[in-house]
Amino acid sequence: MDLNLNLNLNVNGRPERFAAQPNELLVERLRDGLGLTGTKVGCDTGQCGTCVVRLDGRSVKSCLVLTASAAGSEVTTIEGVSERGGELNGLQEALRQEHGTQCGFCTPGMVMALGELVENTAGGGAPTEPEIREWLTGNLCRCTGYHSVVRGVQRACAPAPAVEGVEAGAAGREG
């Protein structure tokens, strides 16, 4: 008897159709089924955060999500967050500038989780250091000590400097 389920996901803006076992984990589908290896497998228990992806805009640990339960959803992996042309997004660039990416194993999960924080605080000021550290509680890193990661998030959330003669926030707008 065939237990495969026919499922649909929208992954990084691209529709995907496939058959999956009922017990298949989302991290397995992303890495093994779709070749999106930026999502890492660290602990398989939801403790380390290396597998974090965005599921319908929310950060989730893909090692704890059944692929079937994500059916019909929008999934964004680290491969889907870069700017057009492969440029780093604002958070990625800020982490790079603050040396928040040592060995890089935990970086994809952190970028995915912290991206939600950055988006939630956009326009409302940078989150405080304790708020950033609280957001990081589900992501383990053995290299950075988190100080540079916190600075990177603060940099990513800092308001853009005003251009002389132009209102802050209006620079670059086409009129």
Side-chain angles (χ1 to χ4, degrees):
M1 176 172 16
D2 184 15
L3 295 178
N4 281 337
L5 304 170
N6 293 316
L7 303 174
N8 297 306
L9 285 176
N10 192 333
V11 181
N12 298 329
R14 203 175 71 209
E16 300 286 351
R17 294 180 61 93
F18 51 86
Q21 290 288 313
N23 64 342
E24 178 185 271
L25 296 172
L26 183 57
V27 70
E28 295 168 333
R29 172 56 47 186
L30 296 171
R31 289 182 58 82
D32 303 333
L34 301 175
L36 298 170
T37 58
T39 302
K40 305 297 183 208
V41 177
C43 66
D44 276 328
T45 61
Q47 301 295 310
C48 71
T50 63
C51 67
V52 173
V53 299
R54 301 284 287 278
L55 182 63
D56 293 329
R58 301 279 324 239
S59 301
V60 299
K61 294 177 179 175
S62 61
C63 74
L64 299 178
V65 176
L66 291 172
T67 304
S69 70
S73 296
E74 174 73 37
V75 178
T76 305
T77 69
I78 191 67
E79 290 90 348
V81 300
S82 295
E83 300 293 331
R84 287 197 155 175
E87 297 294 319
L88 298 177
N89 72 17
L91 175 59
Q92 290 171 308
E93 179 59 25
L95 288 170
R96 186 193 67 77
Q97 290 175 358
E98 294 295 337
H99 308 287
T101 58
Q102 298 291 312
C103 81
F105 191 76
C106 66
T107 304
M110 282 198 187
V111 168
M112 298 309 296
L114 292 170
E116 185 178 356
L117 173 64
V118 170
E119 288 173 18
N120 289 342
T121 58
T128 64
E129 181 176 338
E131 289 170 329
I132 296 167
R133 288 184 182 279
E134 175 68 24
W135 201 267
L136 282 170
T137 56
N139 294 84
L140 299 179
C141 176
R142 295 180 180 198
C143 302
T144 66
Y146 303 100
H147 302 299
S148 54
V149 174
V150 170
R151 285 192 311 268
V153 173
Q154 290 171 326
R155 178 185 285 259
C157 292
V163 176
E164 190 173 321
V166 177
E167 248 180 79
R173 274 195 217 142
E174 296 187 24

